[in-house]
Amino acid sequence: MSKKRKFYIFLMRSIMIVTTAFTAILVLFLLAYVFIEGIPNITWELLSTKPSYLEERIGILPDILNTVYIVIATLIFLLPLGVGAAIYLTEYARNQRVVTTIEYAAETLSGIPSIIYGLVGMLVFSNNFGTSLLAGALTLVIMNLPTIMRTTQESLKTVPQSYREGAFGLGAGKWRVIRTVVIPGCLDGVITGCILSIGRILGESAALLFTAGFAHALNNFFTGLRSPGATLTVALYVYAKEEGEFEVAFAIAAILMMLTLLINLSATLVGKYFAKRKNI
Amino acid sequence: MSEIITTKDLCLWYGDNQALKNINLAIPEKSITALIGPSGCGKSTFIKTLNRMNDLIPSVKITGEVNYKGRNIFSKDTDVNELRRDIGMVFQKPNPFPMSIYDNVAYGPRTHGITSRVKLNEIVEQALKDAAIWDEVSDRLKKNALSLSGGQQQRLCIARALAVKPEVLLMDEPTSALDPISTSRIEELILQLKEKYTIIIVTHNMQQAVRISDNTAFFLLGDLVEFGKTEKIFSQPKDKRTEDYITGRFG
């Protein structure tokens, strides 16, 4: 091998190593920075109280609850709609062109910047229900519908045709076949879709700024839905940008990152669990 | 012996492709009828027409009649689900549901409204005994059916079909995915089932047709070429094409 060629190989290899190292360091730096700044600020008082100007205290309990509420409310609407649509498209629909069109529309919908959902949600939902967690949740439903519909559809397609034939062959009607044989077979897709959606809901801020508002009031589920409220991500924005409380912002950031980690982990575990169950 | 299923000028198209051409056939009760013929000759299509499993394929068009106990199964007042309870089916590849052995066999009876635990236990046990698999699974009815071997899975599928108490059992190459030992067990089983059920079996295996069937129908390119007693078909076929096929000149 000529010297020139050897040098060239060495050079390219080095460049690739540097780019990889750069990427890795960037991620690690971000993680370390947020955790180092954030974790010391996560105190019991922060997690268990609401903010009070009189006592000069900041607590993020309302924001945590709002996040939980909005996740629950979104899933309540999202699951039946998304799973129902997926079942219709794969099990009932006969017109392939309609199916393709809807799938394409869903694909496109999932690529739209979330701030546009926020704008529409504000005009449609907040105008009708007031700026509230409910308006935010409904906006998130539209945002996440494509995700849950597509993951359910993909997993419906993996349910072997022979199961359906076997059930029909025993005299089962269409709905019984779907309920007893098809849906249990696509549970993994539904759960994966849910976990992905929860992840997206936790991380969403732009669409909620318009629709759900910024309040830090401590409410129960039903009052909460009808009142404005900040989720953790929105609260992070508010504390960092409007109030300059960077300790709180970093604490929230650290919490959000841990939650994200947890969600990714559970998605992997669920996937593994179902893969194992299918291969007995 | 009376005839339980008769077809009259039965034609079937997949889109523009005619897969069955004017099939006229009468299947005697409590006997084994073998359907033979090269791949693509229409024998599987024919068997799937008898319990209207072809309804699941959108592009299928059917003309003519299939009469089950004297009634046309394509008439409007036929309940497809009841028809499929009376005319059960065992498929080429064993297809147990991913549930327990018990739930697999109980699936059919539950579908048709039986909920009593005692009654279900009774039906499941009888069906598994009739399918000659009870001794192998009686101590692990709660185990997942997919943990059984291929041959056991196929006998489980037969038990599952028997559990709804059908009159006719359609079998679409039930042994083609199995090893020789499992195959001979299933053949023995089919011979026993003849006492209670009418069996129509599609097979690629000429010896199998000779071993187990009373009557044989030979299909070719969507035509029913010849139908008659199995000994007759295999010893003195009337049609030259049947002779060529059973002596292995094509297929």
Side-chain angles (χ1 to χ4, degrees):
Chain A
M1 226 185 307
S2 72
K3 237 182 182 169
K4 197 174 149 196
R5 209 163 141 190
K6 252 187 185 163
F7 175 73
Y8 183 72
I9 290 172
F10 169 77
L11 181 76
M12 290 316 287
R13 190 182 148 86
S14 309
I15 291 175
M16 298 309 153
I17 289 176
V18 168
T19 53
T20 310
F22 188 74
T23 315
I25 289 169
L26 214 63
V27 172
L28 286 175
F29 166 75
L30 188 87
L31 274 173
Y33 185 59
V34 171
F35 280 136
I36 290 169
E37 293 280 331
I39 288 177
N41 291 314
I42 304 177
T43 59
W44 180 243
E45 196 194 48
L46 181 79
L47 294 176
S48 62
T49 57
K50 61 176 182 173
S52 159
Y53 287 110
L54 293 175
E55 296 167 38
E56 290 197 342
R57 182 186 67 198
I58 293 178
I60 59 167
L61 181 63
D63 310 317
I64 295 175
L65 287 179
N66 286 339
T67 310
V68 174
Y69 296 162
I70 215 162
V71 166
I72 294 173
T74 307
L75 288 183
I76 287 175
F77 294 107
L78 183 61
L79 269 179
L81 277 176
V83 175
I87 289 176
Y88 178 77
L89 289 180
T90 22
E91 303 295 322
Y92 287 94
R94 287 264 165 119
N95 188 338
Q96 207 45 48
R97 264 183 53 200
V98 173
V99 175
T100 323
T101 313
I102 294 177
E103 283 177 358
Y104 186 74
E107 213 87 27
T108 314
L109 208 59
S110 62
I112 294 176
S114 63
I115 198 144
I116 296 173
Y117 287 97
L119 182 66
V120 174
M122 177 176 75
L123 294 174
V124 177
F125 299 125
S126 301
N127 270 348
N128 287 316
F129 305 109
T131 300
S132 62
L133 287 184
L134 180 65
L138 291 175
T139 311
L140 290 175
V141 168
I142 303 181
M143 252 180 85
N144 285 292
L145 256 180
T147 314
I148 200 132
M149 194 183 93
R150 297 295 284 154
T151 51
T152 309
Q153 257 189 309
E154 287 315 310
S155 97
L156 280 171
K157 285 175 192 161
T158 67
V159 176
Q161 191 59 25
S162 68
Y163 290 177
R164 297 185 183 88
E165 284 179 351
F168 279 123
L170 291 166
K174 181 105 185 165
W175 174 241
R176 180 164 166 83
V177 175
I178 291 173
R179 185 169 58 83
T180 55
V181 178
V182 176
I183 292 181
C186 77
L187 259 188
D188 56 336
V190 177
I191 295 174
T192 311
C194 271
I195 295 173
L196 287 175
S197 301
I198 294 175
R200 266 186 96 183
I201 297 168
L202 284 180
E204 187 50 48
S205 51
L208 292 175
L209 288 172
F210 287 93
T211 50
F214 308 92
H216 305 295
L218 205 51
N219 288 318
N220 67 30
F221 182 66
F222 294 102
T223 332
L225 279 189
R226 279 177 278 125
S227 331
T231 62
L232 282 170
T233 4
V234 174
L236 187 151
Y237 168 82
V238 173
Y239 284 121
K241 188 78 188 163
E242 320 259 297
E243 306 190 12
E245 298 281 358
F246 285 101
E247 285 96 2
V248 180
F250 269 107
I252 296 177
I255 293 171
L256 279 171
M257 270 169 48
M258 285 188 271
L259 284 176
T260 311
L261 211 68
L262 204 71
I263 281 170
N264 285 342
L265 207 68
S266 48
T268 317
L269 286 178
V270 166
K272 271 190 186 155
Y273 171 76
F274 279 102
K276 217 163 113 192
R277 243 182 47 162
K278 276 185 181 168
N279 293 327
I280 337 172
Chain B
M1 237 184 308
S2 62
E3 281 129 7
I4 189 162
I5 293 178
T6 54
T7 68
K8 203 174 138 200
D9 299 330
L10 178 67
C11 297
L12 183 145
W13 287 263
Y14 292 118
D16 295 329
N17 213 340
Q18 187 166 10
L20 293 175
K21 297 168 189 163
N22 292 312
I23 309 291
N24 289 294
L25 192 60
I27 289 165
E29 210 174 5
K30 302 219 164 53
S31 68
I32 300 175
T33 304
L35 310 180
I36 62 169
S39 302
C41 69
K43 55 194 193 303
S44 281
T45 302
F46 177 73
I47 204 174
K48 283 189 172 149
T49 310
L50 299 182
N51 67 344
R52 291 187 48 185
M53 285 300 277
N54 284 327
D55 288 12
L56 305 181
I57 306 164
S59 63
V60 164
K61 210 186 102 206
I62 296 171
T63 63
E65 283 177 21
V66 173
N67 292 302
Y68 168 66
K69 290 186 166 175
R71 287 181 55 183
N72 188 2
I73 64 167
F74 299 118
S75 76
K76 281 212 174 83
D77 53 332
T78 301
D79 181 335
V80 181
N81 299 336
E82 273 173 29
L83 176 76
R84 291 182 188 147
R85 182 184 61 195
D86 289 347
I87 306 182
M89 188 152 205
V90 175
F91 298 83
Q92 185 169 2
K93 257 183 74 194
N95 61 345
F97 303 130
M99 347 169 155
S100 74
I101 294 170
Y102 183 95
D103 287 339
N104 262 280
V105 184
Y107 188 91
R110 280 180 180 144
T111 298
H112 298 287
I114 296 174
T115 48
S116 141
R117 191 83 204 171
V118 184
K119 199 135 191 233
L120 281 174
N121 287 343
E122 216 172 274
I123 293 173
V124 169
E125 182 173 341
Q126 192 54 49
L128 288 168
K129 278 179 177 162
D130 285 349
I133 191 179
W134 173 253
D135 295 337
E136 291 156 64
V137 299
S138 60
D139 55 341
R140 46 175 175 152
L141 294 176
K142 293 274 166 269
K143 281 267 172 61
N144 194 308
L146 299 180
S147 64
L148 298 172
S149 74
Q152 287 173 324
Q153 287 190 9
Q154 193 62 303
R155 275 179 287 144
L156 177 68
C157 290
I158 295 175
R160 187 174 70 182
L162 296 180
V164 294
K165 305 202 162 67
E167 304 258 345
V168 181
L169 210 51
L170 308 174
M171 301 180 126
D172 189 3
E173 299 187 44
T175 60
S176 66
L178 304 179
D179 61 88
I181 293 172
S182 303
T183 299
S184 72
R185 291 212 60 172
I186 297 219
E187 286 183 9
E188 279 167 35
L189 172 61
I190 293 172
L191 282 170
Q192 286 166 22
L193 292 175
K194 188 173 90 166
E195 288 175 23
K196 291 196 215 165
Y197 308 94
T198 307
I199 290 165
I200 304 170
I201 179 170
V202 169
T203 179
H204 253 122
N205 181 334
M206 235 57 77
Q207 283 79 30
Q208 186 170 61
V210 175
R211 278 196 300 264
I212 62 175
S213 70
D214 303 303
N215 297 296
T216 297
F218 172 57
F219 283 77
L220 188 63
L221 300 169
D223 283 310
L224 173 63
V225 176
E226 198 167 341
F227 176 63
K229 291 263 169 248
T230 300
E231 321 91 81
K232 267 269 171 65
I233 296 264
F234 280 91
S235 56
Q236 319 152 294
K238 287 191 210 111
D239 198 292
K240 180 80 174 67
R241 290 170 294 176
T242 317
E243 190 183 339
D244 286 349
Y245 182 68
I246 59 175
T247 52
R249 231 163 278 171
F250 70 97

